[in-house]
Amino acid sequence: MASVNNRKQPKSADWRNLPIDSWNCTTFTAMLTELTADHFGVDYAPGGGGSKSQRWAREKGMLKQAQQRYGNAILRRFIEMCVEEYRPNSDYPFPTFAFMYSYMDRNFARAQAEIAAAERQAQAEDNARQAASSGDMLDYL
């Protein structure tokens, strides 16, 4: 009898627990919704013209395009930077993803640099760990 794996991956909307490699548009939308409520105290809704369903469809398309172009880690950091940087006003109490993507796109370069630096640091630590374990093996021999 085959063993059954009872561990399940978190739902795609559970952005805090889902591995970044498994994120999709639903995950990014859940993140945006929660960050907007936490930072600005309002419910998230996409901006722009058209019906509500058209605005959500347009935003999900933009998220998917950015996800394919930049990858999940960079897109996540980009959104975090934009939320941290945005200063609300009475007309625009929070940034929509369309606004971030259109007018705060300079943060993509910063997000790319931060993620690249973190990856280089992780690689350097991994190389040092491997060198140390190789050195231990040579000492043993």
Side-chain angles (χ1 to χ4, degrees):
M1 179 177 214
S3 67
V4 176
N5 186 355
N6 290 330
R7 290 188 297 158
K8 292 183 180 178
Q9 187 167 345
K11 294 184 182 206
S12 61
D14 187 5
W15 67 277
R16 293 193 187 274
N17 296 313
L18 190 67
I20 191 74
D21 293 341
S22 300
W23 283 34
N24 59 27
C25 290
T26 301
T27 316
F28 283 107
T29 301
M31 178 187 166
L32 278 166
T33 301
E34 189 172 322
L35 290 178
T36 299
D38 291 348
H39 283 77
F40 306 106
V42 296
D43 293 334
Y44 183 82
S51 69
K52 188 183 283 190
S53 63
Q54 289 172 327
R55 292 190 312 259
W56 278 110
R58 183 173 37 251
E59 181 158 286
K60 286 197 181 265
M62 293 174 81
L63 278 165
K64 186 67 175 174
Q65 181 184 23
Q67 185 184 21
Q68 290 172 342
R69 181 172 180 183
Y70 297 103
N72 291 349
I74 292 169
L75 181 55
R76 177 184 177 163
R77 186 64 190 125
F78 167 77
I79 292 170
E80 291 169 341
M81 288 176 164
C82 291
V83 168
E84 291 165 7
E85 179 182 303
Y86 187 76
R87 298 294 167 247
N89 61 56
S90 59
D91 292 332
Y92 303 103
F94 65 93
T96 64
F97 183 73
F99 179 83
M100 293 178 205
Y101 196 63
S102 299
Y103 298 105
M104 301 177 86
D105 57 337
R106 65 190 172 281
N107 288 330
F108 272 120
R110 289 179 45 216
Q112 287 173 315
E114 280 188 21
I115 297 299
E119 288 173 352
R120 283 192 302 272
Q121 178 67 29
Q123 183 63 42
E125 290 171 3
D126 190 42
N127 290 346
R129 202 173 10 263
Q130 287 178 356
S133 66
S134 296
D136 290 344
M137 183 57 91
L138 290 175
D139 290 343
Y140 176 75
L141 294 175

